[in-house]
Amino acid sequence: MSMSYSKSIILVPTLDEKENLEKLIPEIFKLMPEISVLIVDDNSKDGTQELDETLKHNYNNLYPLYSYFNNLAISSIILSSRYTNSLSISGISSI
């Protein structure tokens, strides 16, 4: 019996992670094609945001969000809360 990930979201906070995302995103969708991936980028300077835009054309469930808070943890929580109705990360809940 295969597991469905259609209602699941992987949150990927990034700051200058272009090289890692080039490998990570294809692997995630290869393993779990139904999953949604939310990339929250905190003002990367290495081309991460440009890569996100290119990748989202290949993966319908890839959602890049861009932040300029200069605090990746806060950015991830605030912006991902906007994407979902509720969010729970390591015991922190936001509704």
Side-chain angles (χ1 to χ4, degrees), residues 2-94:
S2 73
M3 193 165 179
S4 173
Y5 295 100
S6 63
K7 294 185 179 185
S8 300
I9 298 171
I10 294 176
L11 174 63
V12 182
T14 60
L15 179 59
D16 297 330
E17 295 291 343
K18 180 182 176 188
E19 283 186 34
N20 292 325
L21 285 180
E22 288 173 325
K23 300 170 189 165
L24 177 67
I25 298 303
E27 285 299 315
I28 289 172
F29 285 112
K30 184 171 125 184
L31 294 171
M32 298 172 281
E34 296 176 353
I35 199 137
S36 292
V37 177
L38 177 62
I39 298 174
V40 180
D41 185 77
D42 200 24
N43 201 16
S44 289
K45 305 289 187 217
D46 70 340
T48 297
Q49 292 179 4
E50 292 81 3
L51 175 64
D52 294 344
E53 292 300 315
T54 300
L55 289 171
K56 82 176 187 179
H57 294 291
N58 297 327
Y59 303 103
N60 294 331
N61 295 340
L62 180 66
Y63 303 97
L65 291 174
Y66 305 113
S67 167
Y68 302 97
F69 291 114
N70 293 323
N71 185 323
L72 199 53
I74 292 171
S75 298
S76 297
I77 292 168
I78 291 171
L79 290 175
S80 56
S81 293
R82 290 181 186 167
Y83 177 77
T84 61
N85 290 334
S86 68
L87 176 70
S88 179
I89 301 174
S90 300
I92 301 171
S93 288
S94 172

